[in-house]
Amino acid sequence: MMTRRGFLRFISGSLLSVASFSTYAVGIEPMLLTHVKRYALTPPNWPAGLRLRVVALADIHACRPWMSPERIAFLAEQANALQPDVIVLLGDYIAGMRLMAEPVAASEWASALSGLKAPLGVWSVLGNHDWWEDPVAQQAGAGPTVGGTALESFGIPVLENDVVRLEKDGHGLWLAGLADQMALLPGRDRSRVKGLDDLDGTMAKVTDTSPVILLAHEPDIFPKVSSRISLTLCGHTHGGQVRIFGYSPIVPSRFGNRYAYGHVVESGRNLIVSGGLGFSTLPVRFGVRPEILSIDLG
């Protein structure tokens, strides 16, 4: 039988544990030096002799104090130091969180990202919060968005259901960027969240047999991705923001933990989901540090 003193010790220890967890998850892990998560793979039918390093940044969610323009500029320096052939940005640059000291204007975070440099360029897609936090685009049901305009004004093209052909060491490759799958919130003319993505239309723009890398903010598109696409890169989930023993209690995906985080191979098709850099809804990270992806292909 537990004594009164024992009960009080138990309660005190529990409260201390909760306080310690909260302090770490809110104040420490989100601000840790960014982890570089490295992958190396050769997708099926990848051309022999094509060596490509892709560096990817996802889910910046710019806001003070956690993701200031100064920190974003530092992240750009870290990405450049990885000596990428190409850099890709996987969406959600805008905070999408009310619990913040101060928002960061699109011109500020886009200017910080303009420091990214790679021989084959820096390319981007938009995420759901880049649409949801833009009332004009929501009302119109279409772009341009404030975030997309800011990126392009600083020389970072936005691929929305579009492709670009690149070349390295005599080999061609395609980047295909998908418009957001959750772009438009329910409203007067919409009963549910509506996507603007068009995978078939995007792939119809690929005009030769060179490999394709698909950029899509949300990983839920992956079951529809054909083997024609060598690699799909996504963000959005933040690895669940809380990840314990490889499991995330809450994942913003209709597939739950299936596409929550990391390298997934299904039927020979490859997907990599970034744990991202910032957070949305709540400023909490535990077991999934902010990360930049460095992916060596071939």
Side-chain angles (χ1 to χ4, degrees):
M1 182 175 179
M2 183 177 289
T3 66
R4 181 175 181 275
R5 179 174 294 179
F7 176 74
L8 291 175
R9 284 177 179 172
F10 172 77
I11 293 296
S12 298
S14 298
L15 291 174
L16 180 61
S17 297
V18 170
S20 298
F21 171 85
S22 300
T23 299
Y24 177 80
V26 176
I28 299 177
E29 184 158 318
M31 300 302 291
L32 288 173
L33 286 177
T34 304
H35 173 59
V36 177
K37 180 69 173 179
R38 299 179 186 272
Y39 296 93
L41 63 147
T42 302
N45 304 314
W46 188 261
L50 176 56
R51 303 288 184 268
L52 185 75
R53 176 169 292 175
V54 182
V55 166
L57 290 77
D59 301 288
I60 289 170
H61 291 290
C63 67
R64 294 180 176 89
W66 294 286
M67 195 61 71
S68 66
E70 294 76 20
R71 187 178 181 195
I72 296 169
F74 179 67
L75 292 171
E77 292 177 5
Q78 286 184 280
N80 292 343
L82 296 172
Q83 299 182 308
D85 294 305
V86 63
I87 296 175
V88 298
L89 305 176
L90 300 175
D92 271 7
Y93 315 96
I94 293 175
M97 183 175 62
R98 300 295 176 257
L99 296 176
M100 57 182 169
E102 184 182 346
V104 173
S107 59
E108 293 183 88
W109 56 253
S111 176
L113 289 172
S114 69
L116 293 166
K117 305 295 179 187
L120 299 182
V122 181
W123 306 87
S124 69
V125 294
L126 299 179
N128 56 299
H129 284 288
D130 304 317
W131 282 91
W132 291 1
E133 307 301 323
D134 190 327
V136 174
Q138 287 294 312
Q139 179 69 24
T145 61
V146 169
T149 300
L151 286 166
E152 298 212 326
S153 71
F154 283 95
I156 301 176
V158 179
L159 299 175
E160 291 201 283
N161 298 329
D162 206 357
V163 301
V164 59
R165 191 179 189 279
L166 308 175
E167 189 165 315
K168 181 175 186 280
D169 298 334
H171 296 280
L173 63 132
W174 295 87
L175 290 184
L178 204 61
D180 192 68
Q181 300 157 60
M182 303 170 61
L184 303 178
L185 290 166
R188 184 174 56 189
D189 301 321
R190 297 181 294 272
S191 60
R192 58 185 176 85
V193 172
K194 178 183 177 183
L196 297 175
D197 54 301
D198 181 2
L199 181 59
D200 291 340
T202 301
M203 290 301 295
K205 298 178 181 181
V206 174
T207 57
D208 63 28
T209 59
S210 299
V212 180
I213 298 173
L214 176 66
L215 314 178
H217 180 63
E218 296 93 354
D220 285 17
I221 194 68
F222 190 58
K224 299 179 182 179
V225 170
S226 74
S227 59
R228 175 68 183 86
I229 293 172
S230 298
L231 174 64
T232 302
L233 297 177
C234 299
H236 182 63
T237 65
H238 308 180
Q241 287 191 187
V242 173
R243 193 163 181 84
I244 303 171
F245 302 119
Y247 176 80
S248 299
I250 300 175
V251 182
S253 164
R254 68 177 183 274
F255 296 101
N257 271 265
R258 181 175 169 184
Y259 305 133
Y261 176 69
H263 185 195
V264 178
V265 180
E266 290 185 354
S267 303
R269 300 167 303 120
N270 285 271
L271 165 71
I272 294 177
V273 181
S274 171
L277 290 158
F279 34 57
S280 61
T281 307
L282 291 174
V284 172
R285 272 186 177 267
F286 184 81
V288 53
R289 284 177 56 182
E291 68 179 23
I292 295 174
L293 301 185
S294 179
I295 305 161
D296 288 326
L297 298 173

PDB file of all heavy atoms in Angstrom, residues 155-172:
ATOM      1  N   GLY A 155      14.866  34.357 -57.334  1.00  0.00           N
ATOM      2  CA  GLY A 155      15.544  33.464 -58.264  1.00  0.00           C
ATOM      3  C   GLY A 155      15.373  31.990 -57.995  1.00  0.00           C
ATOM      4  O   GLY A 155      16.161  31.179 -58.502  1.00  0.00           O
ATOM      5  N   ILE A 156      14.350  31.602 -57.213  1.00  0.00           N
ATOM      6  CA  ILE A 156      14.096  30.183 -56.942  1.00  0.00           C
ATOM      7  C   ILE A 156      12.802  29.785 -57.648  1.00  0.00           C
ATOM      8  O   ILE A 156      11.705  30.162 -57.203  1.00  0.00           O
ATOM      9  CB  ILE A 156      13.991  29.916 -55.433  1.00  0.00           C
ATOM     10  CG1 ILE A 156      15.290  30.324 -54.727  1.00  0.00           C
ATOM     11  CG2 ILE A 156      13.678  28.440 -55.169  1.00  0.00           C
ATOM     12  CD1 ILE A 156      15.246  30.195 -53.219  1.00  0.00           C
ATOM     13  N   PRO A 157      12.891  29.038 -58.762  1.00  0.00           N
ATOM     14  CA  PRO A 157      11.675  28.663 -59.493  1.00  0.00           C
ATOM     15  C   PRO A 157      10.775  27.742 -58.668  1.00  0.00           C
ATOM     16  O   PRO A 157      11.257  26.895 -57.903  1.00  0.00           O
ATOM     17  CB  PRO A 157      12.214  27.928 -60.725  1.00  0.00           C
ATOM     18  CG  PRO A 157      13.653  28.343 -60.834  1.00  0.00           C
ATOM     19  CD  PRO A 157      14.112  28.590 -59.430  1.00  0.00           C
ATOM     20  N   VAL A 158       9.476  27.913 -58.833  1.00  0.00           N
ATOM     21  CA  VAL A 158       8.476  27.067 -58.189  1.00  0.00           C
ATOM     22  C   VAL A 158       7.866  26.161 -59.258  1.00  0.00           C
ATOM     23  O   VAL A 158       7.327  26.649 -60.255  1.00  0.00           O
ATOM     24  CB  VAL A 158       7.378  27.911 -57.515  1.00  0.00           C
ATOM     25  CG1 VAL A 158       6.330  26.995 -56.875  1.00  0.00           C
ATOM     26  CG2 VAL A 158       7.980  28.838 -56.468  1.00  0.00           C
ATOM     27  N   LEU A 159       7.948  24.870 -59.035  1.00  0.00           N
ATOM     28  CA  LEU A 159       7.384  23.894 -59.972  1.00  0.00           C
ATOM     29  C   LEU A 159       6.009  23.474 -59.466  1.00  0.00           C
ATOM     30  O   LEU A 159       5.895  22.821 -58.430  1.00  0.00           O
ATOM     31  CB  LEU A 159       8.295  22.677 -60.091  1.00  0.00           C
ATOM     32  CG  LEU A 159       9.718  22.930 -60.613  1.00  0.00           C
ATOM     33  CD1 LEU A 159      10.551  21.647 -60.550  1.00  0.00           C
ATOM     34  CD2 LEU A 159       9.690  23.476 -62.036  1.00  0.00           C
ATOM     35  N   GLU A 160       4.980  23.863 -60.182  1.00  0.00           N
ATOM     36  CA  GLU A 160       3.623  23.470 -59.832  1.00  0.00           C
ATOM     37  C   GLU A 160       3.026  22.720 -61.017  1.00  0.00           C
ATOM     38  O   GLU A 160       2.672  23.320 -62.040  1.00  0.00           O
ATOM     39  CB  GLU A 160       2.772  24.687 -59.479  1.00  0.00           C
ATOM     40  CG  GLU A 160       3.206  25.335 -58.166  1.00  0.00           C
ATOM     41  CD  GLU A 160       2.103  26.183 -57.570  1.00  0.00           C
ATOM     42  OE1 GLU A 160       1.896  27.296 -58.059  1.00  0.00           O
ATOM     43  OE2 GLU A 160       1.454  25.703 -56.630  1.00  0.00           O
ATOM     44  N   ASN A 161       2.980  21.387 -60.878  1.00  0.00           N
ATOM     45  CA  ASN A 161       2.565  20.524 -61.986  1.00  0.00           C
ATOM     46  C   ASN A 161       3.417  20.813 -63.224  1.00  0.00           C
ATOM     47  O   ASN A 161       2.904  20.937 -64.334  1.00  0.00           O
ATOM     48  CB  ASN A 161       1.082  20.706 -62.295  1.00  0.00           C
ATOM     49  CG  ASN A 161       0.198  20.321 -61.128  1.00  0.00           C
ATOM     50  OD1 ASN A 161       0.533  19.438 -60.348  1.00  0.00           O
ATOM     51  ND2 ASN A 161      -0.934  20.991 -60.995  1.00  0.00           N
ATOM     52  N   ASP A 162       4.709  20.927 -62.998  1.00  0.00           N
ATOM     53  CA  ASP A 162       5.627  21.273 -64.073  1.00  0.00           C
ATOM     54  C   ASP A 162       6.922  20.491 -63.905  1.00  0.00           C
ATOM     55  O   ASP A 162       7.192  19.907 -62.850  1.00  0.00           O
ATOM     56  CB  ASP A 162       5.903  22.774 -64.071  1.00  0.00           C
ATOM     57  CG  ASP A 162       6.289  23.304 -65.437  1.00  0.00           C
ATOM     58  OD1 ASP A 162       6.404  22.495 -66.387  1.00  0.00           O
ATOM     59  OD2 ASP A 162       6.475  24.528 -65.566  1.00  0.00           O
ATOM     60  N   VAL A 163       7.717  20.481 -64.959  1.00  0.00           N
ATOM     61  CA  VAL A 163       8.968  19.727 -64.960  1.00  0.00           C
ATOM     62  C   VAL A 163      10.093  20.601 -65.499  1.00  0.00           C
ATOM     63  O   VAL A 163       9.861  21.604 -66.172  1.00  0.00           O
ATOM     64  CB  VAL A 163       8.859  18.447 -65.827  1.00  0.00           C
ATOM     65  CG1 VAL A 163       7.744  17.541 -65.324  1.00  0.00           C
ATOM     66  CG2 VAL A 163       8.633  18.783 -67.299  1.00  0.00           C
ATOM     67  N   VAL A 164      11.312  20.188 -65.174  1.00  0.00           N
ATOM     68  CA  VAL A 164      12.492  20.818 -65.751  1.00  0.00           C
ATOM     69  C   VAL A 164      13.501  19.713 -66.038  1.00  0.00           C
ATOM     70  O   VAL A 164      13.655  18.769 -65.250  1.00  0.00           O
ATOM     71  CB  VAL A 164      13.084  21.884 -64.802  1.00  0.00           C
ATOM     72  CG1 VAL A 164      13.485  21.288 -63.461  1.00  0.00           C
ATOM     73  CG2 VAL A 164      14.270  22.581 -65.444  1.00  0.00           C
ATOM     74  N   ARG A 165      14.152  19.822 -67.185  1.00  0.00           N
ATOM     75  CA  ARG A 165      15.168  18.821 -67.550  1.00  0.00           C
ATOM     76  C   ARG A 165      16.551  19.375 -67.239  1.00  0.00           C
ATOM     77  O   ARG A 165      16.899  20.486 -67.646  1.00  0.00           O
ATOM     78  CB  ARG A 165      15.084  18.450 -69.035  1.00  0.00           C
ATOM     79  CG  ARG A 165      15.939  17.227 -69.405  1.00  0.00           C
ATOM     80  CD  ARG A 165      15.797  16.892 -70.890  1.00  0.00           C
ATOM     81  NE  ARG A 165      16.420  15.623 -71.220  1.00  0.00           N
ATOM     82  CZ  ARG A 165      17.723  15.439 -71.438  1.00  0.00           C
ATOM     83  NH1 ARG A 165      18.552  16.482 -71.360  1.00  0.00           N
ATOM     84  NH2 ARG A 165      18.204  14.249 -71.750  1.00  0.00           N
ATOM     85  N   LEU A 166      17.330  18.594 -66.488  1.00  0.00           N
ATOM     86  CA  LEU A 166      18.685  18.956 -66.124  1.00  0.00           C
ATOM     87  C   LEU A 166      19.655  17.975 -66.779  1.00  0.00           C
ATOM     88  O   LEU A 166      19.247  16.930 -67.291  1.00  0.00           O
ATOM     89  CB  LEU A 166      18.848  18.925 -64.597  1.00  0.00           C
ATOM     90  CG  LEU A 166      17.824  19.725 -63.788  1.00  0.00           C
ATOM     91  CD1 LEU A 166      18.040  19.505 -62.296  1.00  0.00           C
ATOM     92  CD2 LEU A 166      17.887  21.203 -64.138  1.00  0.00           C
ATOM     93  N   GLU A 167      20.937  18.303 -66.749  1.00  0.00           N
ATOM     94  CA  GLU A 167      21.931  17.406 -67.338  1.00  0.00           C
ATOM     95  C   GLU A 167      23.198  17.438 -66.494  1.00  0.00           C
ATOM     96  O   GLU A 167      23.652  18.498 -66.051  1.00  0.00           O
ATOM     97  CB  GLU A 167      22.244  17.818 -68.774  1.00  0.00           C
ATOM     98  CG  GLU A 167      23.113  16.793 -69.495  1.00  0.00           C
ATOM     99  CD  GLU A 167      23.137  17.001 -71.008  1.00  0.00           C
ATOM    100  OE1 GLU A 167      22.048  17.234 -71.589  1.00  0.00           O
ATOM    101  OE2 GLU A 167      24.232  16.929 -71.579  1.00  0.00           O
ATOM    102  N   LYS A 168      23.751  16.238 -66.261  1.00  0.00           N
ATOM    103  CA  LYS A 168      25.001  16.113 -65.514  1.00  0.00           C
ATOM    104  C   LYS A 168      25.846  15.003 -66.134  1.00  0.00           C
ATOM    105  O   LYS A 168      25.357  13.877 -66.327  1.00  0.00           O
ATOM    106  CB  LYS A 168      24.739  15.810 -64.042  1.00  0.00           C
ATOM    107  CG  LYS A 168      26.026  15.694 -63.226  1.00  0.00           C
ATOM    108  CD  LYS A 168      25.735  15.507 -61.748  1.00  0.00           C
ATOM    109  CE  LYS A 168      27.036  15.552 -60.951  1.00  0.00           C
ATOM    110  NZ  LYS A 168      27.767  14.283 -60.990  1.00  0.00           N
ATOM    111  N   ASP A 169      27.083  15.335 -66.443  1.00  0.00           N
ATOM    112  CA  ASP A 169      28.032  14.352 -66.989  1.00  0.00           C
ATOM    113  C   ASP A 169      27.466  13.620 -68.198  1.00  0.00           C
ATOM    114  O   ASP A 169      27.631  12.402 -68.357  1.00  0.00           O
ATOM    115  CB  ASP A 169      28.438  13.342 -65.909  1.00  0.00           C
ATOM    116  CG  ASP A 169      29.142  14.006 -64.732  1.00  0.00           C
ATOM    117  OD1 ASP A 169      29.752  15.075 -64.934  1.00  0.00           O
ATOM    118  OD2 ASP A 169      29.076  13.459 -63.618  1.00  0.00           O
ATOM    119  N   GLY A 170      26.774  14.349 -69.045  1.00  0.00           N
ATOM    120  CA  GLY A 170      26.232  13.760 -70.269  1.00  0.00           C
ATOM    121  C   GLY A 170      24.947  12.987 -70.088  1.00  0.00           C
ATOM    122  O   GLY A 170      24.430  12.412 -71.055  1.00  0.00           O
ATOM    123  N   HIS A 171      24.404  12.958 -68.873  1.00  0.00           N
ATOM    124  CA  HIS A 171      23.154  12.246 -68.597  1.00  0.00           C
ATOM    125  C   HIS A 171      22.053  13.256 -68.306  1.00  0.00           C
ATOM    126  O   HIS A 171      22.247  14.210 -67.561  1.00  0.00           O
ATOM    127  CB  HIS A 171      23.304  11.319 -67.395  1.00  0.00           C
ATOM    128  CG  HIS A 171      24.288  10.214 -67.590  1.00  0.00           C
ATOM    129  ND1 HIS A 171      23.985   9.059 -68.279  1.00  0.00           N
ATOM    130  CD2 HIS A 171      25.577  10.096 -67.185  1.00  0.00           C
ATOM    131  CE1 HIS A 171      25.039   8.266 -68.288  1.00  0.00           C
ATOM    132  NE2 HIS A 171      26.025   8.872 -67.638  1.00  0.00           N
ATOM    133  N   GLY A 172      20.881  13.015 -68.866  1.00  0.00           N
ATOM    134  CA  GLY A 172      19.733  13.853 -68.572  1.00  0.00           C
ATOM    135  C   GLY A 172      18.965  13.329 -67.369  1.00  0.00           C
ATOM    136  O   GLY A 172      19.024  12.147 -67.036  1.00  0.00           O
TER     137      GLY A 172
END
